[in-house]
Every structure is written in structure tokens, then in C-alpha cells.
Amino acid sequence: MNLHPDYLLNEVNEPSDIKDMSLDELKQLATEMRQLVLERDAKIGGHVGPNLGVMELTIAFHYVFDSPHDKVIWDVSHQSYAHKMLTGRKLGFLDPDHYEDITGFTSPEESAHDFFEIGHTSTSISLAVGMAQARDLMNHQSHNNVMAVIGDGSLSGGLAFEGLNNAAKLNSNLIILVNDNQMSIDENQGGLYKGLKELRDTNGESPNNIFKFMGLDYKYVADGNDLQTMIDTFKEIKDIDHPIVLHVNTLKGKGYEPAVEEKMKYHWRTPFELKTGEDKVKVSGESYSDAVLTELDKQIAEDKPVVAINAGIPGAFDLGKFKAKHPDRYYDVGIAEQDSITTAVAMAQAGARPVVFQNSTFLQRAYDQLIHDMALNDAPVVMIVRGGAISESSATHQGTFDISMISDLPNIEYLAPTNVEEMISMLRWAINQTDEPVVIRQPEKPLLHGKPTQSDYSTIKYDIAHRGSEVAIMAVGDFWKLGEKVRKELQDKLNIDATLINPKSVTGIDSDVLHHLAENHDVVVTLEDGVLSGGFGETIARYYGPKGMKVLNFGAPREFADNVPTEVLYEWYHLTPKQIVDDIEQVIHSL
Amino acid sequence: MNLHPDYLLNEVNEPSDIKDMSLDELKQLATEMRQLVLERDAKIGGHVGPNLGVMELTIAFHYVFDSPHDKVIWDVSHQSYAHKMLTGRKLGFLDPDHYEDITGFTSPEESAHDFFEIGHTSTSISLAVGMAQARDLMNHQSHNNVMAVIGDGSLSGGLAFEGLNNAAKLNSNLIILVNDNQMSIDENQGGLYKGLKELRDTNGESPNNIFKFMGLDYKYVADGNDLQTMIDTFKEIKDIDHPIVLHVNTLKGKGYEPAVEEKMKYHWRTPFELKTGEDKVKVSGESYSDAVLTELDKQIAEDKPVVAINAGIPGAFDLGKFKAKHPDRYYDVGIAEQDSITTAVAMAQAGARPVVFQNSTFLQRAYDQLIHDMALNDAPVVMIVRGGAISESSATHQGTFDISMISDLPNIEYLAPTNVEEMISMLRWAINQTDEPVVIRQPEKPLLHGKPTQSDYSTIKYDIAHRGSEVAIMAVGDFWKLGEKVRKELQDKLNIDATLINPKSVTGIDSDVLHHLAENHDVVVTLEDGVLSGGFGETIARYYGPKGMKVLNFGAPREFADNVPTEVLYEWYHLTPKQIVDDIEQVIHSL
């Protein structure tokens, strides 16, 4: 049900519907849309601060420009809620029954006003340059505007700089709106922000200007939350015939005091009480992150030169606690994943013990640094990777490619613990060795307890948790519980006493165990919480390829899934215990 | 035999050996070392211009600083020849018998004066920052200097910018020497270079200074090829207590007129005649690159909105010819692989038909752009990838990870043609469809002719070039000839009439063919010119895992190989026809 049938927004079906509105009406729209952002985010979670800060510039864009003929590309696109409300998707914000119809990012499937699915930072300038180049090549008559909107936080990612560098070569229309709210997800990091501050402090007049340095035109707007100012500014630069940077100062969280006060907390939130700001679902109890931080404390107490490195996402690992205790050992490089790995490599080679904290989906941006810097130099970096799990997430942030990304590279040991004690045992070993890079895949399922079965992981010995026959189940990391369930189901349904194995690693093969399995097993089943292509299961399938063993690999297919509930994905991918046992049964019957 | 027993360089075993030399003697060293660079490169190939340009700054560094206590990190490290000569490795330049003892890049295995194996650009600042951070954490008493030497061309890579941004946070010694020779491998690309020019033109005095903008100290040196100037400058900033950028103007190719005249040609050269500059080995005849360019010409003549994009390596694909014919359709984004992909995605979505030219090893730097931009948006980018082959190369540039990197991602079709006609047929189809991203793996072996067996590759149909029984050989792309040889060897040695299949793609599976192979085959053999982990063979092994077929995968193991001759690698990896047939025989005997 539409919660606000009285809202002026109800009259807006197309951007053209706001073009005849008065300034007061446009301001009313901004107020309404802020309320809708808050209501929706409070109910289902989402980006708060980024959306509250860009109301005025979004309204002004659609008031002055002619979308989709004129094109706006939102960096990360987590700030595109207002854009969505003005481009035919208001019901996804007015009516809770339709909240889930609309994704949190731009989506060409939703609207002709969106051009790309985007969820990672720093891509918008390159995308805008590409659209401008295609326009110039194909439609010499058409003079549409192309605008990228990029936050100051996203500017620290190297790709943004590459984009700026090439934007300067254009001899045609391009608008790069730098939405400067003086924040990244967390605090901004690095020298770039000194320069931006000087520009703000001088009302854009400082002669030292990185954008002008690169040959780009430049204009500063001191109050990007003033609607009239933004309208006037856009009118002035509309149809400009060369690239310009519009440096716009805005307030992240504008209009909702808690979001202004606690900018990091309100960057992205799970559902919360709108009045008090409290989390609706409180997370309590033990966490893998806590256990990791406790172990790092111990290692530091033992005088190990441990440092913690992350790239703009301390919250994902609760690193605020580490920073408070060990400020001189804490490094947040900002949104700059490449730099986080290469710097860690150097620290490791110089004798420090860097522990890098990464999200699988963002680590993708440092693939060459994994190969050319970390693996090639065999640098004993320790890394914790989160998010490698089949789960309900935006396709933009799908973290299931990590096993292929990491385990197919030389020299790196990629460990997949099944419980917290095992994980800490692996972490302790990783910190105390200097032979190789070690990556640890942090489980995303509810915390399990267990007992590590080795303490030195330089040679992986698979743990045979239960010795049976006929079928051997290799359950990787997070999928340990699933392995236990499949074992039980095999017992109950087929009366098979299956072997259950914890392989611990997705790189090192224990060929001794694999060899001896052949003695009394016909089928080996692998279960991994990630994409099958390039994954652990294929390694086992290749090993047994020339031999008599049947191998069945379970995991995700090579595809994207956008906001599909985890349980549905499991059904689709044949990952329920029942489906798995049915598949095993088929193979057994074919023997 | 030492060709120059009279050289002063013979007296230099350690950097300390030059500290008592006079300026004239140091200049003599520079002259000698230039000659040695030329003699070695002329004989065995290597980087010419980059090394000739940095003689004076290298000598000055070792004269003023105390290596390896003070540390210099060479970006790409292709300019480290002089550094090698002065740090105990002179014989690798004086004596042709020892040329091959010394690699073309820094190598910790060779010397304590080298800290990393490096061959890709733009990493040195992050590495230097990491070393400085480790120093500050672990050795509060030790005040060693850390210096990165980075060329202006390398600065366009996003990682360099990320490094600069974080360098500004240091409160201790760090020297970033920007070796500005006004060249990348090819011409510099982008706005950054306007700014650097303004700094050079104003003797470093321009108030608009990207380095100062980021809060870094800055000093300009107008003649970096003047030894006394470099010595004085280094003396002045030695032990500086904060980060500084030393912007040094040098001449690429200094001291050898042809290298100064033709900077791109002499960036890196295969063996050449020192007197005339002519190539010793002349490449002639048909090439895959020529065929590709001819096809692009045709498509453009048919009014297709084709554009060619590359990231600083036009020479690898002979794109100079394309640029001359179609300047408005040619985009070199400079050393900025991420930007090359993301821009191409936007162009494709906007209706243009971008063809991106990439080297496998450098494409690694755009892995997230392949996933998050190209695959997720299913953008119909066309890409040609070179260098995906097991071959004698520096480990830094090993290009064998491409199948895992690309084929394990959703939505992308990765085609592997076996001959030039097939490649062009694939390219034509790729340009004329807009359903999906298509990557084509350019063969690195001598050009073969053949006949395409399909013209629409949206559904891959494996070509059964020869129908036999017992053993089926699937020979991917470049390894087609190998497949034919294995077939012959099987016939000759085991009297087996093997089936030979061209799978054409390393992503799409033709399950129809795979299914029917089971009727009269016991063993399927895959041959691929790349790393096995995450590769094509594993896909086939997984397919047959639950079935009765034996599968044998041939390719490279998950490891780096540094400058090992291709034929030796083939022996190591069991890739000779005889070894392969022996392995097949073993499996057959176990049946």
C-alpha cells in the first residue's frame, strides 16, 4: 500500500513531470524523497547517507537535463534512489509491498534511464568517457550531455584516476560531478583529500588544482544541497563543448541528524528503528572477527611485528577495535585495493607480518597484485577473505569467484577453515611462518566450534572426520555442516556409511588420502560454497580423471544471481542435502 | 670472455667501490655502462632506451646512498641494468657468456640489492611505502632511505596514483623519483602529461602541482642526465624526514642516437645490429595481427562502428597501421588496463563495436573490470588476447593464467581459434553480434591455415576433425598441431586411431559431442597452452567426473617459470607427443 498518497511525488512518472514545478515544489519533492529513503532503508536496509546527500543535485539534474537523452552515470550507484524515484520507479519507495521490486543500484533492466549495473566504486568516469566517445563517433549531430557523478571517496581508487587522465583527451561534452561530502565509506584516506580540502577552503580558487593540472575545466559549487544553486549551475554548463569537473560540496546524510552525526554507521545500514536509530536485528554472541582480533592481540603481545591492513572497509571486520588498541599498526589505504596488496607485499618482504582484510568481491580489483606482487615474490602476506559464499546479495557484489581467483595462482596457500578454532590455528601458523602467502577464507555461516587437527599447515593433511566406505564427502569450509547433513541423509536414505573429509585447503592436495580413498570408495563428492568453474571440485575431478573414481562436484554454476534468497539459490544449484543425495544415488546406480 | 677488460667498471664489485671515484671516473663509468647496455641488448635483446636514460641517476644513487641499507625500488625494473652492473653483476654485461645469467628485471635471487621481482608498471610507490612503513614499525633507530624510481609513463596506471595518495600519509623518509622522459612505451596518453609538461616548462615552479596538491614535498631537476646535479640533489635530500617527490627530467635513449630518435622502437628490442640498428631476425610473412587489421578494415568499410582500443601497447598488435588509417577510431588509453575495459564496456553499451587488444599478463590488472563491468553488464565487447602460451618469458610476464582468469567468469565467451581463417571467422561473428562479450585467444605459434567449420559461434559445436575410437584428443587453439602429432604418435606407437577434436572455445561446452564420445571412447585427452588450474581440461574432467570416461589433462602446472626455454618447459610439463602418448598408454593399460 502506498504510504504517502498525498505526496507530490505521486505526480511524477517521468523526469519531464518536474520541469514545470516551482522551486518550492521541487524542495517539497526533496523533503518527501528524503523521508522515503529513510522509511525504505529502515524497513529493508540500504544506503542512507549517500542518498540523503544528493537529493538536490539529482532533482536539479532532471530539472535541467533531458534524461535519458542526456545521460547520468552514478558511481557505485548506491546514491541513485532519488534518480530512481524520478524515473518511473517511485512505487518502489512509496509502497513497502514494492520495496523489493527495485534494487539498490542502477539497473538497465529496470529503466531506460540506467545504463549499467554498478556496485563497485571508481568506474563512472571511464564509463562516461566511453559513452561520450561512442556518441562522438556515431552521432555527430547529437549533442547529448554525459555526466558522471562520483564521490570524493571513490576518487582514491586508481581506476578513477585513469578515467580522469583519459577524460582530458576528449574534445567534446563531458561533465564529471565530484560529489565531495568529505567521506568515503569510512574516513577518507590519503593526500588527495588535503588537496580537495584546500579547494573547498578557497572556494575553488586555489591555483593548485589536480583537475586543472590534468587539463580539465573546473567549477566549484560551495553548497550542493541548495537546489537553486544546483539548477543554475547545471543550466550554465549544459551542452558545454569540452570536459569539465564540477566540484560540488554536499553534506552526507543531509536531513537526518543521526546520519549526519554518524556518517560511517549510516553509509549503509541493515534495518533500523527510524526514531531511535537502533538496529532491528541485534547481532550478538561470538564472531569470527572477534576471534581473529583476539589472536592478533596475542601475537602482538608476543612481540610479533603484526600489522592490520584494509582498503576502506574496517567495519566489515570490526577493525575499529584494532585501530583503537594498536593505532601504529593499523593501515586503512582507503578505496585502493591494489595498493593494499602491493604495500602488504613490501611490508612482508621487509620483515613485518601484514594481515590484510579483504572482501572477496573487492579483492577482484587486486588480481594482478595477487599474481605479480604477492605470488611471484612468494611474499608471506597473511590475508583474511570474507564474502566467499553463495548468498542473497546484489549481483554487483557476488563474492563467489574467490576460489578460482586465488587458488589457481602459484605459491599461494588458500585455506578454508570449518570452525573458529581451526581458523585461529591457521591464522597463528600463517603469522608465524614466512615461507609463503597464506589466505584464509572466513566462514560466512553461523560460527561453529571444533578442534584443529594440525597446527602446521605447510603440508595439508586432509582430516577424515568419519571413516566410512562407498561414498566420500569432501566438505570445504563453510559447507562443513552441509557435508554432515549429506552424510546423515546418505545413511538414512541409502544406508550408506559415507566418509566425511575436511580438506582444509582449496589449493594443497593431500594425494595420500585421495589415493587411499580408492580402496573402498566408488564416489567422491565435493561441496564448496562458491562457483565451480576453476574451483576446488575441479581440482579433485582432474586428479581422479585418469583413475576409476567417480567424482561429483557441488557448488554454484558460472552465473550471476541478483538478490535471490540463499535458500532459493541452493534449490537452483542442487545444494540441498536431499538433492545432493539424489544425485549421488543416480551415480551409484550407474556403477 | 670479458670483452672489456680495460673498463673501469671491472674495479666495481660493490657500490662502495665507486664512492672514492672522481667525477670524471664516474662519467667514464656512465659511458662504459651505456656501451654495455647496447652490446648486450644488440646480442640478446632487452630494454634499451629506459636503461640509457638512467645512467647518471643510478650512479649518483649508489655514490650518495648506501645500498642495500638504503633501498631503491625500480618501477617495472626494466631500467635496472646500471644498478645491476654496480651491485656485483657486471659480468652479466661485460661477458657475453654470462649475459643470460642475469635477468632483465630486478631479482632478489640475484642480489641483496634487489628486493622484488617486478615486471609490470606502477607498483613501485606502493612497494616503497610498504618498506618505509615496515622500517618505521620495526626499526625506530634505523633511518635508512627508501626510494622508488618511477617513469612518467608508469604514472598513468591507477596503482601509482593509489600509492602516491597513501605515500602522503607517511611522516618519515620516502623519496619518489619521477623519471620524466616524456615517454611511455609508446607516446604518453592523457591529461596528466599536460600537467607534467607545465612543471617542466616552469622549472618546477608552477603553482599547479599534482604532487603538492596531495601534500607531498617536491623538487624539480631539469637535467637528470647531469651527474654532478644528481649527486648534489641526492646529497641534499638524503635522510629527509618526510616523503618527497623528486621530479627528474631525463632523456630516454641518451647516448645512442637511434634510441633517442626512435624512442618507441628502442624501448625494448629483439637482437639488432649495433651499427645499423637493423633487426637481426627479420619477421616476415603472414601474421595474425595483419589478418585482424584487414578484417577490421572490412568491417569499417561496411559501416560498422568498430573502434580499436589498447592500453599502451599498440606495437604488440601492429596497431600503428590502424591508427594511420582510422585515427578517429583508435584509442590508446596509456598504461591503464582497467580504464581500457571499462571504457570499452560503455562504448559497447552505447552501440559502438569496441575491439580491445590486450596482452594476457597485463589484462590481469583489469580482472574486476572483466567481472563487474564487462561480464555483469553482458557488454558485447570484443577482445583479442595475446600471450596466453607456455613459452620462454620472464616470470613477471607469464601469460598462462588467462584461461582461468577469463573462462571461469559468467557471460563471457572465450574462443580459441586453431588457425587464421577460424580466428577471422570468429572475429567477424563477434563484431556482428551484440549478445555477449567475446574474447579471442590469438595463437602464438606460427600461423596456420584452415577452414572455419561454423560461422555463428553463439552455440559452440566442437569440430571432429577426425573420427576414430578409443582415445579422443581435444586440442585447444595453439595446441592444434600438438594434437595432430599426438594422434599420429598414437597411431604409430599404439596402433590407435584416435579422434581429434577442435573445441574452439574454452567456455562453451558441446555436451552433445561429449556425450556421444562415450559410445566408442575410453579416454579423453585435453591439450591446452596454459595453466591447468581453472583451465579447460578441468571443465572436461568435471563434466566426465560422474561418468565412466577417463580424462587426462595436459597443460602447465600452477607455477612460475623464469626465462626457461619453451622446449625445456614442454619436457618438464609432459607436453611432448611422446610423453603424452606414454601417459595415455598407462591409462589404457589400467583399464
Side-chain angles (χ1 to χ4, degrees):
Chain A
M1 199 183 74
N2 184 335
L3 295 181
H4 302 282
D6 55 320
Y7 270 15
L8 180 58
L9 181 63
N10 288 287
E11 293 171 24
V12 182
N13 296 311
E14 287 287 335
S16 57
D17 293 332
I18 72 169
K19 288 191 188 291
D20 293 328
M21 286 187 182
S22 67
L23 185 64
D24 281 344
E25 287 173 320
L26 294 174
K27 283 183 178 171
Q28 186 185 328
L29 272 188
T31 305
E32 291 174 6
M33 296 200 299
R34 283 205 163 87
Q35 179 63 24
L36 296 179
V37 165
L38 289 167
E39 287 178 7
R40 184 178 189 268
D41 282 345
K43 184 82 186 287
I44 66 169
H47 285 91
V48 185
N51 282 297
L52 295 178
V54 299
M55 283 300 158
E56 287 76 16
L57 72 85
T58 307
I59 294 169
F61 174 83
H62 284 296
Y63 183 79
V64 174
F65 292 93
D66 177 23
S67 175
H69 174 69
D70 294 321
K71 298 173 200 314
V72 56
I73 297 156
W74 304 92
D75 203 85
V76 200
S77 80
H78 59 202
Q79 77 289 59
S80 60
Y81 290 11
H83 167 77
K84 292 196 174 201
M85 292 186 220
L86 298 177
T87 53
R89 289 167 280 182
K90 58 181 186 296
L91 208 60
F93 297 85
L94 285 160
D95 183 346
D97 296 337
H98 290 279
Y99 281 172
E100 306 275 6
D101 297 354
I102 300 296
T103 71
F105 301 96
T106 54
S107 164
E109 288 184 18
E110 279 178 12
S111 169
H113 297 270
D114 295 3
F115 310 100
F116 306 99
E117 247 183 286
I118 308 176
H120 289 190
T121 71
S122 315
T123 70
S124 62
I125 302 174
S126 298
L127 290 172
V129 169
M131 292 201 99
Q133 286 169 339
R135 171 200 63 203
D136 296 346
L137 176 71
M138 297 170 66
N139 306 299
H140 286 287
Q141 265 62 48
S142 156
H143 296 295
N144 62 303
N145 292 267
V146 177
M147 181 164 98
V149 177
I150 182 167
D152 52 326
S154 294
L155 278 184
S156 65
L159 174 54
F161 175 76
E162 295 180 1
L164 278 175
N165 190 42
N166 281 302
K169 290 163 69 179
L170 272 183
N171 290 312
S172 60
N173 175 279
L174 180 74
I175 302 162
I176 300 168
L177 191 157
V178 174
N179 173 32
D180 186 350
N181 59 27
Q182 297 101 68
M183 282 295 288
S184 180
I185 299 174
D186 195 7
E187 289 166 23
N188 278 319
Q189 298 288 342
L192 173 64
Y193 300 100
K194 296 181 195 170
L196 290 179
K197 181 173 189 307
E198 189 178 308
L199 284 173
R200 291 194 308 273
D201 290 350
T202 59
N203 203 33
E205 300 292 327
S206 166
N208 200 358
N209 182 316
I210 189 171
F211 308 110
K212 289 186 177 174
F213 183 88
M214 296 172 81
L216 293 158
D217 196 1
Y218 173 86
K219 188 174 171 58
Y220 181 70
V221 178
D223 186 359
N225 292 115
D226 185 73
L227 196 46
Q228 188 65 56
T229 302
M230 284 312 302
I231 289 173
D232 294 344
T233 305
F234 281 146
K235 282 185 174 168
E236 195 183 318
I237 61 167
K238 190 181 177 186
D239 300 328
I240 195 167
D241 67 356
H242 59 272
I244 184 170
V245 170
L246 200 60
H247 181 187
V248 179
N249 182 36
T250 64
L251 181 65
K252 191 168 183 174
K254 171 90 178 179
Y256 183 59
E257 208 46 39
V260 173
E261 290 299 312
E262 294 187 277
K263 292 194 171 67
M264 185 184 167
K265 180 173 172 186
Y266 280 87
H267 175 78
W268 181 85
R269 288 214 59 181
T270 52
F272 61 98
E273 300 293 344
L274 202 46
K275 281 193 184 156
T276 61
E278 272 177 52
D279 285 313
K280 281 189 179 156
V281 181
K282 289 197 177 100
V283 180
S284 65
E286 302 169 295
S287 77
Y288 285 101
S289 290
D290 272 348
V292 166
L293 296 179
T294 302
E295 182 59 28
L296 295 190
D297 284 348
K298 274 190 206 166
Q299 295 294 326
I300 289 169
E302 289 173 19
D303 265 347
K304 302 278 158 44
V306 166
V307 303
I309 300 176
N310 80 97
I313 50 164
F317 295 94
D318 238 349
L319 288 172
K321 293 177 192 167
F322 184 94
K323 183 183 180 184
K325 275 191 206 167
H326 314 287
D328 57 328
R329 290 164 181 268
Y330 174 78
Y331 298 91
D332 179 351
V333 300
I335 296 175
E337 291 79 7
Q338 301 182 86
D339 180 70
S340 74
I341 304 301
T342 303
T343 299
V345 165
M347 294 182 88
Q349 297 301 68
R353 302 302 301 121
V355 182
V356 185
F357 294 83
Q358 289 278 1
N359 250 331
S360 170
T361 189
F362 299 137
L363 180 58
Q364 291 166 185
R365 311 214 286 190
Y367 180 68
D368 189 45
Q369 288 68 45
L370 293 179
I371 299 177
H372 172 271
D373 300 327
M374 194 168 95
L376 177 63
N377 286 284
D378 219 350
V381 170
V382 181
M383 197 182 311
I384 311 273
V385 172
R386 277 200 67 169
I390 299 162
S391 66
E392 178 170 2
S393 79
S394 168
T396 51
H397 290 73
Q398 186 169 318
T400 45
F401 304 108
D402 62 313
I403 299 183
S404 162
M405 168 169 62
I406 300 168
S407 77
D408 293 341
L409 306 179
N411 296 345
I412 302 175
E413 182 71 52
Y414 194 14
L415 299 172
T418 56
N419 61 64
V420 66
E421 285 78 13
E422 188 170 53
M423 179 167 178
I424 297 308
S425 157
M426 288 167 172
L427 176 62
R428 189 176 308 137
W429 167 75
I431 291 172
N432 284 283
Q433 60 85 45
T434 52
D435 291 332
E436 56 183 343
V438 177
V439 186
I440 300 172
R441 196 174 203 239
Q442 179 167 319
E444 291 295 333
K445 302 242 178 247
L447 186 137
L448 291 182
H449 286 287
K451 233 174 107 80
T453 49
Q454 65 188 98
S455 56
D456 176 344
Y457 296 84
S458 52
T459 304
I460 292 296
K461 291 187 194 309
Y462 291 167
D463 177 40
I464 304 178
H466 179 88
R467 272 182 199 278
S469 60
E470 291 185 75
V471 176
I473 304 159
M474 304 184 74
V476 175
D478 231 351
F479 268 6
W480 181 248
K481 269 268 177 224
L482 178 61
E484 288 181 334
K485 285 179 190 165
V486 170
R487 213 194 85 73
K488 185 166 183 309
E489 183 86 7
L490 277 170
Q491 184 78 66
D492 294 350
K493 187 178 173 197
L494 303 180
N495 201 26
I496 288 174
D497 177 30
T499 293
L500 182 60
I501 294 171
N502 170 11
K504 302 177 192 172
S505 165
V506 289
T507 38
I509 268 198
D510 183 346
S511 47
D512 194 42
V513 165
L514 292 182
H515 179 75
H516 286 293
L517 279 182
E519 289 161 11
N520 59 341
H521 294 80
D522 305 309
V523 183
V524 168
V525 175
T526 65
L527 308 175
E528 68 195 292
D529 199 358
V531 165
L532 285 167
S533 295
F536 174 72
E538 289 191 345
T539 308
I540 301 300
R542 169 155 66 96
Y543 174 86
Y544 282 121
K547 302 180 172 66
M549 184 74 80
K550 298 280 191 298
V551 178
L552 256 173
N553 301 138
F554 292 91
R558 192 168 68 92
E559 68 177 36
F560 291 107
D562 201 22
N563 297 305
V564 181
T566 307
E567 294 311 315
V568 176
L569 289 174
Y570 282 5
E571 284 282 339
W572 287 0
Y573 298 163
H574 261 229
L575 288 173
T576 69
K578 187 183 171 311
Q579 290 170 315
I580 292 169
V581 169
D582 286 350
D583 289 352
I584 294 171
E585 191 178 7
Q586 275 204 348
V587 173
I588 289 172
H589 285 165
S590 75
L591 286 174
Chain B
M1 198 184 72
N2 185 336
L3 294 182
H4 302 282
D6 54 321
Y7 270 17
L8 180 57
L9 180 65
N10 288 287
E11 293 170 25
V12 183
N13 296 309
E14 288 286 333
S16 57
D17 294 333
I18 72 169
K19 289 191 187 290
D20 294 327
M21 286 187 180
S22 67
L23 185 65
D24 280 346
E25 286 173 319
L26 294 173
K27 283 184 178 170
Q28 186 186 330
L29 273 188
T31 305
E32 292 174 5
M33 297 200 300
R34 283 205 164 89
Q35 179 63 23
L36 296 180
V37 165
L38 289 168
E39 287 178 6
R40 185 177 189 268
D41 283 344
K43 184 83 187 290
I44 66 169
H47 285 91
V48 185
N51 282 297
L52 294 178
V54 299
M55 283 298 158
E56 286 76 16
L57 70 86
T58 306
I59 294 170
F61 173 83
H62 284 296
Y63 183 79
V64 173
F65 291 93
D66 177 24
S67 175
H69 175 68
D70 295 320
K71 295 171 202 315
V72 56
I73 298 156
W74 303 94
D75 203 85
V76 201
S77 80
H78 59 202
Q79 77 290 61
S80 60
Y81 291 11
H83 166 78
K84 292 195 175 201
M85 293 186 217
L86 297 177
T87 54
R89 288 167 279 182
K90 58 181 186 296
L91 208 60
F93 297 84
L94 286 160
D95 182 347
D97 296 339
H98 289 279
Y99 280 172
E100 305 274 7
D101 298 355
I102 299 297
T103 71
F105 301 97
T106 55
S107 164
E109 286 183 20
E110 279 180 11
S111 167
H113 298 270
D114 295 3
F115 310 100
F116 308 98
E117 246 182 285
I118 306 176
H120 290 189
T121 70
S122 315
T123 71
S124 62
I125 302 175
S126 298
L127 290 173
V129 169
M131 294 203 98
Q133 287 169 338
R135 170 199 64 202
D136 296 346
L137 176 73
M138 297 170 66
N139 306 301
H140 286 286
Q141 264 64 48
S142 155
H143 297 294
N144 62 303
N145 293 266
V146 177
M147 182 165 99
V149 177
I150 182 166
D152 52 325
S154 294
L155 278 185
S156 65
L159 175 53
F161 175 76
E162 295 181 1
L164 278 176
N165 191 40
N166 280 302
K169 290 164 69 181
L170 271 183
N171 290 311
S172 59
N173 174 279
L174 179 75
I175 302 161
I176 300 167
L177 191 157
V178 173
N179 173 32
D180 188 350
N181 58 28
Q182 298 101 68
M183 282 295 287
S184 179
I185 298 173
D186 194 7
E187 288 166 26
N188 279 319
Q189 297 289 340
L192 172 64
Y193 300 99
K194 296 181 194 170
L196 290 178
K197 180 172 190 310
E198 189 178 306
L199 283 173
R200 290 194 309 273
D201 290 349
T202 59
N203 202 33
E205 301 292 326
S206 165
N208 201 359
N209 181 317
I210 190 171
F211 308 111
K212 288 186 177 174
F213 182 89
M214 297 172 82
L216 293 158
D217 195 1
Y218 173 85
K219 188 174 171 59
Y220 181 70
V221 178
D223 186 358
N225 293 114
D226 184 73
L227 195 47
Q228 187 65 55
T229 303
M230 285 312 301
I231 289 173
D232 295 343
T233 305
F234 281 147
K235 281 184 174 170
E236 196 184 316
I237 61 165
K238 189 181 177 189
D239 299 328
I240 195 168
D241 66 357
H242 59 271
I244 186 170
V245 169
L246 200 61
H247 182 188
V248 179
N249 182 36
T250 64
L251 181 65
K252 192 168 182 172
K254 170 91 177 178
Y256 183 61
E257 209 47 39
V260 172
E261 291 299 310
E262 294 187 277
K263 291 194 172 67
M264 185 184 167
K265 181 173 173 187
Y266 279 87
H267 175 78
W268 180 84
R269 289 214 60 181
T270 51
F272 60 99
E273 301 292 344
L274 202 45
K275 282 195 185 155
T276 62
E278 273 178 51
D279 285 312
K280 282 190 179 156
V281 181
K282 290 199 177 102
V283 180
S284 65
E286 302 170 295
S287 77
Y288 286 101
S289 290
D290 273 347
V292 166
L293 296 179
T294 301
E295 181 60 27
L296 295 191
D297 284 348
K298 274 190 207 165
Q299 295 293 327
I300 290 168
E302 290 174 20
D303 263 347
K304 301 280 159 44
V306 166
V307 303
I309 300 175
N310 80 100
I313 50 164
F317 295 94
D318 238 348
L319 287 171
K321 293 177 193 166
F322 185 93
K323 183 183 179 183
K325 275 192 207 164
H326 314 287
D328 57 328
R329 291 165 182 265
Y330 173 80
Y331 299 91
D332 178 352
V333 300
I335 296 178
E337 290 80 6
Q338 300 183 85
D339 181 69
S340 74
I341 304 300
T342 303
T343 299
V345 165
M347 294 180 89
Q349 298 300 69
R353 303 300 301 121
V355 182
V356 186
F357 294 82
Q358 289 279 359
N359 249 331
S360 170
T361 189
F362 300 138
L363 180 58
Q364 291 166 185
R365 312 215 288 191
Y367 180 68
D368 190 44
Q369 289 66 47
L370 293 179
I371 299 177
H372 173 270
D373 300 328
M374 193 168 94
L376 177 64
N377 286 285
D378 220 348
V381 171
V382 181
M383 197 183 311
I384 311 273
V385 173
R386 278 201 66 168
I390 299 162
S391 67
E392 178 170 4
S393 79
S394 169
T396 52
H397 290 72
Q398 186 171 317
T400 46
F401 304 107
D402 63 312
I403 299 183
S404 163
M405 169 168 65
I406 299 168
S407 76
D408 293 341
L409 305 180
N411 297 344
I412 302 174
E413 184 70 54
Y414 194 13
L415 299 172
T418 56
N419 60 65
V420 66
E421 286 77 13
E422 188 169 52
M423 179 167 179
I424 297 310
S425 156
M426 288 168 172
L427 175 63
R428 190 176 308 136
W429 167 76
I431 291 172
N432 284 284
Q433 59 85 44
T434 53
D435 292 333
E436 57 184 344
V438 178
V439 186
I440 300 171
R441 196 175 203 240
Q442 179 168 319
E444 292 294 334
K445 302 240 177 247
L447 186 137
L448 291 181
H449 286 286
K451 231 175 110 81
T453 50
Q454 63 188 102
S455 56
D456 175 344
Y457 295 84
S458 51
T459 302
I460 291 296
K461 293 190 192 308
Y462 291 167
D463 177 41
I464 303 178
H466 180 87
R467 273 182 200 276
S469 61
E470 289 185 76
V471 176
I473 304 160
M474 304 183 72
V476 175
D478 231 349
F479 268 6
W480 181 249
K481 270 268 176 224
L482 178 62
E484 288 181 333
K485 285 180 190 164
V486 170
R487 214 195 84 73
K488 181 164 186 311
E489 183 85 7
L490 277 169
Q491 185 78 65
D492 293 350
K493 188 176 172 198
L494 303 179
N495 201 25
I496 288 174
D497 177 29
T499 294
L500 183 60
I501 296 171
N502 170 11
K504 303 177 191 173
S505 165
V506 288
T507 39
I509 269 198
D510 183 347
S511 47
D512 194 43
V513 166
L514 292 182
H515 178 75
H516 286 291
L517 279 182
E519 289 162 11
N520 59 341
H521 294 80
D522 305 309
V523 183
V524 168
V525 174
T526 66
L527 309 175
E528 67 196 293
D529 198 358
V531 165
L532 285 167
S533 295
F536 174 72
E538 289 192 344
T539 307
I540 301 301
R542 170 154 68 93
Y543 174 87
Y544 282 123
K547 303 180 172 67
M549 184 74 80
K550 299 280 192 299
V551 178
L552 255 173
N553 302 138
F554 292 90
R558 191 167 68 90
E559 68 176 37
F560 291 108
D562 202 20
N563 297 305
V564 182
T566 307
E567 295 309 316
V568 175
L569 289 174
Y570 282 4
E571 285 282 340
W572 287 0
Y573 299 164
H574 260 231
L575 288 173
T576 68
K578 185 181 174 314
Q579 290 170 315
I580 292 169
V581 168
D582 286 350
D583 290 352
I584 294 172
E585 188 177 10
Q586 274 204 348
V587 173
I588 290 172
H589 284 166
S590 75
L591 286 174

